[in-house]
Amino acid sequence: MVRCSDRALLAALEERGPARATQLAAELDAHPITVTQRCDALQSRGHVRRISTDVFGITEDGRAYLASIE
């Protein structure tokens, strides 16, 4: 099981591009609500943007943050 960490979420979004919370949850072996909550937290810091109700994408700030934590 992959933890639903900031790093894991941002890396998945960096690799695949914008994705639905359910797709990310399946990839990260996490619950969709957990993914949505983590994405909302990342959005509040400017690392992720909500594209639609359940689709998230990484921002330039998110890419920089990901590079700093890898």
Side-chain angles (χ1 to χ4, degrees):
M1 177 172 161
V2 175
R3 285 186 47 205
C4 187
S5 65
D6 289 354
R7 189 201 150 310
L9 269 171
L10 291 171
L13 289 170
E14 173 77 81
E15 182 177 312
R16 71 172 19 246
R20 293 186 180 281
T22 51
Q23 294 168 322
L24 292 165
E27 184 175 329
L28 299 173
D29 195 22
H31 195 280
I33 292 173
T34 302
V35 170
T36 300
Q37 290 171 340
R38 293 302 317 136
C39 284
D40 286 343
L42 287 166
Q43 180 178 331
S44 72
R45 292 182 275 166
H47 302 311
V48 166
R49 64 186 166 95
R50 187 182 289 263
I51 296 169
S52 68
T53 303
D54 66 341
V55 177
F56 297 92
I58 191 169
T59 64
E60 288 304 316
D61 285 345
R63 285 183 180 87
Y65 176 62
L66 177 60
S68 77
I69 60 174
E70 286 192 309

